[in-house]
Amino acid sequence: MNSRTLVAIVGVVALAAIAIGGLYFLGYEPEWPEDDSEYTAKTIDAYMYSTDEKDKKTIDIRYYADSPNVPYVDVSQYYKLLQKESISARHKGDGVFTLENERHGAGSATLDTNVPSLTSKDYYSFTAVTDVNYIDDSDTWIPFVKGVSDKVVKACQPVTIDLSKYGIKVHLDKENRKVWMPFQTVADIFSGSANYYAEYLRDAVYFTDIRTVTENGLYLNDEKYLKRLVDSLYIDTDRPADLVEYNYNELCLLFDNFYGNPGKGELCALIKERGLDYALSHHDDTAGLIRDYLKSADSAEYLSGLESLYSYLYDGGHTNTSIWSTSVFDTIRKNGDIGFLERVAEMKSALEPPTHPDRSAAVKILRELRDESWEGMETLAEGFRYYEQGDTAVFSFDSFSLDFDGWDNYTSDGWKLPKDTIGCLYTALKKADSNPAIKKFVLDLSTNGGGYVADVMFINSLLTGKDTNESSVDVLTEQTVTSVVAADVNLDGKFNDKDHEKQFRFDYGILTSSCSFSSGNMLPVISQRDGIMILGQTSGGGSCSITVVSSADALPITMSSTIKSVVGYGEEGYDQNTVEFGAKPDHTLVKENPDGSFDYSGFYDIDAISRAMSQFYAS
């Protein structure tokens, strides 16, 4: 074949590509569709993970004539504020767009504005929300753990979010080549376990993370934020009809697509099978009333419905639609709206939603019994205590905390241990090691409600002398991954073979109860898998990571995210329920009473714990 023939063939192929639509591929973009929808525009303040005015930016909002109380946002501008990158929109033709994440290595999605629907072959590559600290431009860094490898057991499956199912409309700006969607829909699409999010409060937007919206968080201590939040409740007037409809539909979109369905909540199975609206409509009469209240223009009815929904979704503590933090209560009281609060409480009581275990009451009982049994416990820092008796030492802690600043300065500050979980654990281990009589070391998680998974990875490696395997499944994309995590267990600032050596001379045990939740449940599950003894009572579950979101009227919601921890891979795959339903103890320290309650009288018996550990490790 001569060169002239080859050129001719290439030319024919090129013409064929154009003939079958290759113009888009070659750079041509079909004209954007017209959208003559009427709207009003406003530029409002955007608080960037901070109440400090110097960190404030602005964001453009549109209110379209057919839903004047539903704010719309430019998808690209929102994402640029959230993650400092843009989402480009390119028209493929016939109202179908490619949304491309311009972050290096990120993915894309297809937006069909005719349906409308959003589809992505690799959803999390498209959303690409990473753990970035917006203010100081740095990634969160944890120096004592690092990922070694990831094995994808099952690849991501395509995800389609049918926006039409929820009445979501998409608007186009042909002149500026922008895609406008409802603010809260965009926030939900880019939500996730990294917990970067945003709330719209009428005349301002607050970009949030796990530090800013939880109880005692930054925003819930800010009077301006609280006033805006309470103003969004429409206490003195009916909620606008368009907002009511959108808010309910968006709540359904949120739970239908981004809820982890951990398995314990009363509505979990129905939500997974048919969606939230169907679950509320068909589960029972009370659930049906809650649905009516969630769609009510009366704010008291709406809030009592949201409060009662919490009871149907209760999974131990990760999912919570109850807004009644102390800060919100106090702000409503300051406004003189005591009657409103009373109405909400009365309506919730009348609904009679299902009851669930009172974890706080159980924790109180266990703490009192522990203080009585282990009199004279030494406080290492707030929330961290140490106790010795006979040949056994105990480190008791109620959460897995991380002092990021302390670890940032650890090596430069004379190797000074922070006063967090890992720092206090190491202090306790050294104290025990200085006493030759101590042969056993127990981690008391009986009242531990969870916290940072990095602590779990470190502690498991410390107890077992090996890297930790962590497995998870994403219920949205079905991606299943096994990760290997290494830990600098001797805290010398290096990851090497010395970290696989036994650091201390003890046999280890973990004391758990039904109150051991989330990370307080995950550690005993994976440590038991790796040969560490569990004592006490079956731990309390909590397999999903947490995501912080909100309703369309800015009421904070926490929920079990789509990322679910699982344990064990074999020929039959993984067991999804191993983490969710807890670690069963190798030695039980509770007795079940005839009425189903538990007798904890021998729960903190150190002599019994010591004997059980001797038998376990002897075998």
Side-chain angles (χ1 to χ4, degrees):
M1 181 183 298
N2 61 38
S3 59
R4 184 172 297 177
T5 303
L6 180 61
V7 168
I9 291 174
V10 171
V12 170
V13 172
L15 288 171
I18 293 173
I20 62 173
L23 282 171
Y24 174 73
F25 175 77
L26 295 173
Y28 169 79
E29 180 180 0
E31 187 176 7
W32 279 45
E34 296 285 351
D35 186 341
D36 57 2
S37 304
E38 295 183 1
Y39 65 86
T40 58
K42 190 188 329 183
T43 299
I44 62 177
D45 291 334
Y47 290 87
M48 306 307 301
Y49 312 102
S50 167
T51 56
D52 196 325
E53 295 293 319
K54 71 178 177 61
D55 297 320
K56 188 172 65 176
K57 295 184 179 293
T58 60
I59 188 169
D60 298 324
I61 300 293
R62 286 184 178 182
Y63 307 88
Y64 284 86
D66 59 351
S67 53
N69 296 285
V70 177
Y72 274 66
V73 68
D74 165 22
V75 174
S76 184
Q77 186 189 31
Y78 176 90
Y79 191 78
K80 194 170 185 65
L81 287 168
L82 186 77
Q83 289 280 291
K84 303 184 180 179
E85 298 289 345
S86 296
I87 301 287
S88 64
R90 186 173 176 80
H91 189 213
K92 297 171 66 175
D94 298 325
V96 178
F97 290 79
T98 296
L99 302 184
E100 190 85 31
N101 191 322
E102 295 184 356
R103 182 192 298 275
H104 176 71
S108 64
T110 298
L111 176 67
D112 187 339
T113 62
N114 302 295
V115 179
S117 65
L118 184 76
T119 301
S120 180
K121 294 180 179 179
D122 188 349
Y123 186 80
Y124 293 116
S125 177
F126 163 62
T127 58
V129 179
T130 58
D131 195 11
V132 174
N133 184 322
Y134 190 94
I135 303 304
D136 63 15
D137 216 12
S138 64
D139 290 338
T140 300
W141 179 64
I142 302 171
F144 52 74
V145 291
K146 72 171 185 177
V148 174
S149 64
D150 292 318
K151 178 183 178 182
V152 177
V153 180
K154 182 177 181 179
C156 282
Q157 302 302 300
V159 169
T160 295
I161 300 173
D162 183 359
L163 301 173
S164 68
K165 178 180 177 181
Y166 309 98
I168 305 299
K169 295 182 180 179
V170 176
H171 288 285
L172 302 174
D173 182 342
K174 178 180 178 180
E175 181 180 354
N176 297 298
R177 301 167 71 85
K178 293 181 178 180
V179 174
W180 291 78
M181 294 173 65
F183 184 95
Q184 213 59 47
T185 303
V186 176
D188 288 339
I189 286 170
F190 292 105
S191 65
S193 57
N195 285 308
Y196 287 84
Y197 199 69
E199 298 174 346
Y200 167 85
L201 284 83
R202 296 205 195 179
D203 62 346
V205 165
Y206 285 80
F207 281 82
T208 68
D209 59 18
I210 196 70
R211 301 171 300 108
T212 55
V213 293
T214 52
E215 183 62 54
N216 298 320
L218 180 66
Y219 291 157
L220 287 175
N221 284 296
D222 181 68
E223 288 188 7
K224 187 182 292 186
Y225 171 85
L226 286 166
K227 184 180 185 308
R228 283 174 167 146
L229 178 59
V230 171
D231 286 346
S232 297
L233 298 181
Y234 292 94
I235 289 175
D236 299 323
T237 185
D238 283 350
R239 302 168 67 222
D242 59 329
L243 178 61
V244 169
E245 180 182 9
Y246 171 69
N247 183 64
Y248 179 77
N249 289 341
E250 187 63 27
L251 194 67
C252 291
L253 182 151
L254 181 67
F255 277 93
D256 292 357
N257 295 279
F258 303 111
Y259 176 51
N261 271 294
K264 282 186 176 177
E266 191 165 332
L267 291 182
C268 270
L270 269 179
I271 292 174
K272 184 176 182 179
E273 180 184 352
R274 302 292 294 272
L276 178 62
D277 184 61
Y278 182 92
L280 291 172
S281 300
H282 292 79
H283 180 68
D284 59 25
D285 290 343
T286 299
L289 281 173
I290 289 173
R291 178 181 182 271
D292 292 341
Y293 279 16
L294 291 172
K295 300 176 77 171
S296 174
D298 184 312
S299 291
E301 285 189 352
Y302 165 61
L303 292 175
S304 64
L306 206 58
E307 284 283 299
S308 301
L309 178 61
Y310 167 55
S311 298
Y312 279 98
L313 299 173
Y314 181 78
D315 56 12
H318 280 167
T319 302
N320 188 356
T321 59
S322 171
I323 70 153
W324 297 122
S325 71
T326 302
S327 302
V328 176
F329 261 133
D330 288 346
T331 304
I332 294 176
R333 286 194 185 99
K334 288 177 183 177
N335 289 352
D337 294 311
I338 303 300
F340 176 79
L341 295 176
E342 291 174 348
R343 283 187 64 217
V344 173
E346 289 170 3
M347 288 178 177
K348 180 185 175 183
S349 178
L351 279 172
E352 296 183 347
T355 58
H356 51 76
D358 187 345
R359 183 180 182 277
S360 60
V363 166
K364 182 180 179 182
I365 291 170
L366 287 170
R367 284 175 177 166
E368 290 174 352
L369 181 59
R370 179 171 58 201
D371 289 345
E372 180 183 324
S373 302
W374 297 344
E375 187 176 357
M377 292 183 76
E378 179 184 353
T379 298
L380 304 178
E382 185 176 357
F384 304 100
R385 297 198 291 174
Y386 176 79
Y387 181 73
E388 289 181 1
Q389 182 180 317
D391 67 352
T392 304
V394 180
F395 175 59
S396 180
F397 58 112
D398 289 343
S399 66
F400 291 84
S401 66
L402 262 173
D403 177 359
F404 288 103
D405 290 338
W407 288 109
D408 282 344
N409 299 322
Y410 173 60
T411 55
S412 62
D413 194 21
W415 306 88
K416 182 180 178 181
L417 289 168
K419 296 289 188 179
D420 61 0
T421 298
I422 302 305
C424 289
L425 170 61
Y426 236 80
T427 299
L429 284 163
K430 289 179 178 178
K431 289 177 75 70
D433 202 35
S434 67
N435 183 350
I438 301 298
K439 309 297 182 191
K440 307 177 181 78
F441 192 93
V442 175
L443 284 82
D444 170 28
L445 304 182
S446 59
T447 57
N448 192 297
Y452 287 96
V453 175
D455 289 347
V456 173
M457 300 296 106
F458 178 93
I459 294 172
N460 187 66
S461 290
L462 175 66
L463 303 187
T464 63
K466 56 186 180 182
D467 295 340
T468 296
N469 288 320
E470 176 194 14
S471 302
S472 64
V473 59
D474 181 82
V475 299
L476 177 64
T477 67
E478 300 181 30
Q479 184 182 51
T480 308
V481 177
T482 295
S483 302
V484 178
V485 180
D488 175 20
V489 296
N490 60 7
L491 295 177
D492 66 353
K494 303 173 184 176
F495 292 88
N496 52 35
D497 290 341
K498 291 183 179 180
D499 294 311
H500 296 148
E501 299 173 359
K502 192 174 180 69
Q503 304 298 316
F504 297 93
R505 53 186 170 77
F506 310 119
D507 287 333
Y508 295 105
I510 299 177
L511 182 63
T512 64
S513 78
S514 60
C515 297
S516 306
F517 183 70
S518 192
S519 291
N521 167 79
M522 186 177 182
L523 177 61
V525 168
I526 63 174
S527 293
Q528 185 177 51
R529 174 199 66 189
D530 292 344
I532 302 301
M533 185 182 190
I534 309 301
L535 306 99
Q537 183 183 31
T538 300
S539 54
S543 59
C544 295
S545 60
I546 193 172
T547 187
V548 179
V549 290
S550 78
S551 65
D553 41 15
L555 301 181
I557 293 172
T558 59
M559 61 189 286
S560 291
S561 78
T562 59
I563 308 298
K564 185 175 184 178
S565 296
V566 293
V567 171
Y569 286 98
E571 293 180 1
E572 298 180 359
Y574 59 84
D575 180 357
Q576 282 209 35
N577 293 327
T578 306
V579 180
E580 181 61 30
F581 291 94
K584 295 181 179 178
D586 300 297
H587 180 80
T588 301
L589 294 168
V590 297
K591 297 177 182 178
E592 187 170 359
N593 298 317
D595 64 357
S597 63
F598 291 96
D599 176 5
Y600 289 96
S601 58
F603 195 80
Y604 294 107
D605 185 337
I606 289 290
D607 292 335
I609 290 171
S610 177
R611 289 193 299 269
M613 289 181 68
S614 293
Q615 294 172 5
F616 179 86
Y617 285 107
S619 63

